[in-house]
Every structure is written in C-alpha cells, then in structure tokens.
Amino acid sequence: MKWLLLLGLLALSECVIHKVSLVKKKSLRKNLSEKGLLQDYLKTHSPNRASKYFPNEVYAKKTTETMENYMDAEYFGTISIGTPPQEFTVIFDTGSSNLWVPSTYCYSLACAFHNRFNPDDSSTYQATSETLSITYGTGSMTGILGYDTVKVGGIEDTNQIFGLSETEPGTTFMFAPFDGILGLGYPSISSSGATPVFDNMWNEGLVSQDLFSVYLSSDDKKGSVVMFGGIDSSYYTGHLNWVPVTYEGYWQFTLDSVTINGKAIACADSCQAIIDTGTSLLAGPTSAISKIQSYIGASNSEDSVSCSAIDSLPEIVFTINGVKHPLPAKAYILEEDGVCTSGFEGMDLDTSSGELWILGDVFIREYFTVFDRANNKLGLAKAV
C-alpha cells in the first residue's frame, strides 16, 4: 500500500537554442598562435596528456536538485526530457528504480491531468520495441521504453532509458501533484531491466562520487534537496552513522530494535527495514504498529491523537547498527488544520528475510540520509 501512504501517496539550467551561421573564421590554432598562446594551450589541452585516462576526475561533478514539500506528504522536483526540453515533476523514489512520465500515447484520465511527453517533439528521442509494466501498492502503469536526453539539476544525461506511460488506471495518479516517478533503488528491482537514472549518471562519468544524499524539510518549508554525487554537511549535525545494506534491491538494512522508554515495543530481536523517500509515513508489521498506536493513544480507526498530548508523548527510538535514532512526538505526530494523526501505518510485507519495516518521510525528515552505492551502505545523521 505504498501509494496509499504517498497520496493519502531544480532549478533547471536554461536551455537556449542558437541559430548557427556558416561563416568562415580563423582556426583556433591560428588565433592562439597570433596571440602567442599556442604553446601554453598545447601543454594544458594536448590529447596526449595523462588526464584523458581519468575522465571522471576531469569532467565529473555533483548537482543539487531542489524539491517541493507538498503538505509533508510528497517531495518532488522538476526534470526535463528531450530536445528541446519538456518539463515534468517527479517523485525521487528510493523504493523503486524506473523513470517514467505520462506520454501522448496515454489516454487514461490521470494522463489528461498531467504533463505528457511527446516523442514527436524531441529531435533526440529514440524508440524501442520494449514494454514496461509497474505495479505499486495502490497504483500501476504500463507503457513503452525509449531513450532521450534527461536533465536533472545541472546534469545532462544524453542517453537515458525511460518509460512513456500508455495506461495509468484508477485514480491513484489522477490526483497526484506530480507527473511521474524517478526511481533511485538498485537495478535489480528495475522493471524490464531498464538502467536507473543514477546508475547511468555514474556509468557516464557525470558525477564524481557513486552516491547521492537526501534532505527533507518539514512543515512545507523550502530547502528539501536530493544531491547527486555529493554530501553537504550543512544539512546535518554530528557525524554520519554508516549502516551496511543487507539487500541490494531496496535500500534495505538491519534494524536492531524499536524501543519506548528503554523497553522494546517491536523488533526486539532485530528485523529488516528500508529507507524509502517515496513513502510518506513510517510503516511496519500490523501487530507491532498496533502496540505503538495504543501506546501513543492512536488506537482508533482514524489514528487520531489529541494535539495537546504531543508534549507528553515519549520518543520512539530506532536503534540502527548500534546507534540510537530517536523520533520525538513532533516528528511522528502529523498536524493538519488543527487535527493530529499518527505517522505510523500498519503494513504486513513478508520477504525472504522476514517482516519488513519502511522508514519513510516521517523518519527521513529527522535524519539526513546518504545512499552510498560504491560501498553499499547508508549514512544517517541528525538533520538540521
């Protein structure tokens, strides 16, 4: 029920098209020679220099993509696809691995309410005969795969495979404030084996480090970002707690325990969990979540809590790789228009490694997160 959690779950570099005039000009060599600069240029730009064997060091970079906080429920940013660029808002989702957007091939109502990619309007689009089908918790899409230039922040990926939706059935995506999804999970969970965007960035030498990091603001404040190829320590305090990934599909790891006032209320003998930017709430096994809801006074069907009780509710501590990560009541109680509800959700997801917890935006708002693909580990630190 991931999308139930999501919906209730970049500033782009300007692209300017220049006209080209065929005017004969002096060669670069002649211009430099006349100005006495040719030898210096050859010393620093010669193709025989050893630097040509280290393209990542010379050309790679990092980019920061700004995201909009929509009611503390979704975080999305703007990307572009095609030449000239067609803009789309997308969820940056660490719980999936495909990039897809609505297309002009789609006649579902959901597509009618969103921006649609038109391959006929892009001079760089390359069609394929491959199809795509993805089923989320309460939403799904089908479509075809194609290649085109994808721009994310300051990075231009000229050969990215992505999905063009043909159907988006139901109402899940119809009312979504975003157009599509950009998955940031591992390639192993990518539908149709499509190369994820971040993998393509790294493979093409477009980022300097094989990692990305996420900061989520709270209370509709600005400042939410996903950083590709870098870590910005101004977004957190203290140091990063590094946690090994236990399954390279979702960003999965071992959760030591969940405690209240020093006593285990769930996951007493450790369990598996994932960090998922595409899930609004914090989900866990129904029986365990029921205990937490009862403890904090949210045992009714609406999971409502008295707003006046927030100051007296305890921290709920998630111990990860031996380090305690407390969630204060102000983090796990969500307030909207004077109504307070629990940020926990019961969800039974059985995997080969047992029941699974999903630490969504409720958790990530409190903890700046680094997703390190090079070393298959997560970094967590208290967000500012």
Side-chain angles (χ1 to χ4, degrees):
M1 294 183 60
K2 172 178 180 173
W3 288 96
L4 178 60
L5 302 183
L6 275 169
L7 299 172
L9 325 180
L10 309 181
L12 283 172
S13 301
E14 291 188 1
C15 180
V16 182
I17 303 175
H18 297 278
K19 291 183 179 179
V20 179
S21 299
L22 298 177
V23 179
K24 187 173 181 181
K25 296 182 178 180
K26 292 180 183 178
S27 69
L28 175 63
R29 175 181 286 271
K30 186 169 181 63
N31 269 323
L32 291 171
S33 179
E34 289 178 352
K35 296 176 181 179
L37 301 173
L38 180 60
Q39 292 306 312
D40 288 339
Y41 178 86
L42 292 176
K43 287 179 182 179
T44 57
H45 292 80
S46 169
N48 294 319
R49 294 188 73 240
S51 62
K52 73 174 183 177
Y53 296 105
F54 304 97
N56 282 358
E57 293 182 17
V58 178
Y59 299 110
K61 56 182 178 180
K62 62 182 178 181
T63 192
T64 298
E65 166 79 11
T66 60
M67 295 187 290
E68 179 181 342
N69 175 352
Y70 182 77
M71 299 174 63
D72 278 358
E74 293 119 26
Y75 294 81
F76 45 81
T78 303
I79 67 169
S80 72
I81 304 175
T83 307
Q86 301 175 43
E87 291 191 354
F88 301 91
T89 54
V90 294
I91 293 282
F92 291 92
D93 179 22
T94 59
S96 66
S97 296
N98 290 87
L99 167 62
W100 67 266
V101 295
S103 79
T104 51
Y105 302 138
C106 177
Y107 292 97
S108 299
L109 279 175
C111 295
F113 291 122
H114 292 87
N115 293 331
R116 295 187 294 172
F117 178 77
N118 188 342
D120 293 335
D121 289 343
S122 175
S123 63
T124 46
Y125 177 73
Q126 301 175 57
T128 77
S129 59
E130 299 177 81
T131 59
L132 178 69
S133 178
I134 306 175
T135 299
Y136 299 97
T138 55
S140 64
M141 64 78 64
T142 64
I144 59 172
L145 289 167
Y147 288 86
D148 211 330
T149 296
V150 174
K151 294 180 181 179
V152 183
I155 291 179
E156 181 174 313
D157 181 356
T158 58
N159 192 36
Q160 177 61 51
I161 191 168
F162 70 104
L164 295 77
S165 75
E166 293 179 312
T167 69
E168 295 178 28
T171 59
T172 299
F173 295 120
M174 187 185 304
F175 303 110
F178 54 88
D179 300 313
I181 299 170
L182 192 156
L184 292 170
Y186 281 82
S188 64
I189 61 171
S190 178
S191 179
S192 300
T195 302
V197 169
F198 183 72
D199 286 77
N200 214 30
M201 285 182 180
W202 175 251
N203 293 340
E204 296 297 322
L206 302 177
V207 289
S208 55
Q209 296 185 73
D210 193 7
L211 58 79
F212 59 93
S213 47
V214 172
Y215 170 79
L216 300 184
S217 64
S218 59
D219 301 326
D220 296 329
K221 294 178 181 177
K222 295 181 180 180
S224 300
V225 295
V226 53
M227 288 165 274
F228 295 99
I231 302 170
D232 188 340
S233 60
S234 68
Y235 287 101
Y236 65 88
T237 60
H239 63 275
L240 290 162
N241 170 38
W242 292 103
V243 184
V245 169
T246 56
Y247 170 66
E248 296 170 21
Y250 302 108
W251 286 89
Q252 186 170 324
F253 60 95
T254 298
L255 175 61
D256 299 343
S257 64
V258 181
T259 59
I260 296 179
N261 295 327
K263 295 182 179 180
I265 194 167
C267 190
D269 299 314
S270 81
C271 51
Q272 292 295 294
I274 66 173
I275 296 279
D276 185 2
T277 57
T279 295
S280 302
L281 306 182
L282 199 159
T286 301
S287 59
I289 295 298
S290 292
K291 292 179 182 178
I292 294 175
Q293 303 285 51
S294 178
Y295 199 102
I296 65 175
S299 54
N300 56 57
S301 59
E302 292 80 22
D303 294 333
S304 61
V305 178
S306 170
C307 294
S308 61
I310 294 178
D311 291 339
S312 61
L313 290 174
E315 291 183 330
I316 299 178
V317 179
F318 292 79
T319 301
I320 303 170
N321 202 26
V323 177
K324 295 180 179 180
H325 296 77
L327 278 186
K330 65 179 180 61
Y332 65 76
I333 299 298
L334 309 177
E335 184 175 358
E336 182 68 26
D337 296 329
V339 177
C340 291
T341 57
S342 167
F344 291 95
E345 176 82 5
M347 182 186 302
D348 293 315
L349 296 173
D350 289 322
T351 67
S352 58
S353 51
E355 296 180 322
L356 192 68
W357 287 70
I358 302 176
L359 307 192
D361 298 343
V362 165
F363 182 87
I364 303 169
R365 276 193 288 271
E366 289 294 302
Y367 293 96
F368 176 85
T369 307
V370 179
F371 300 82
D372 187 342
R373 282 289 301 278
N375 301 292
N376 293 315
K377 62 184 182 180
L378 289 155
L380 299 171
K382 188 69 176 69
V384 296

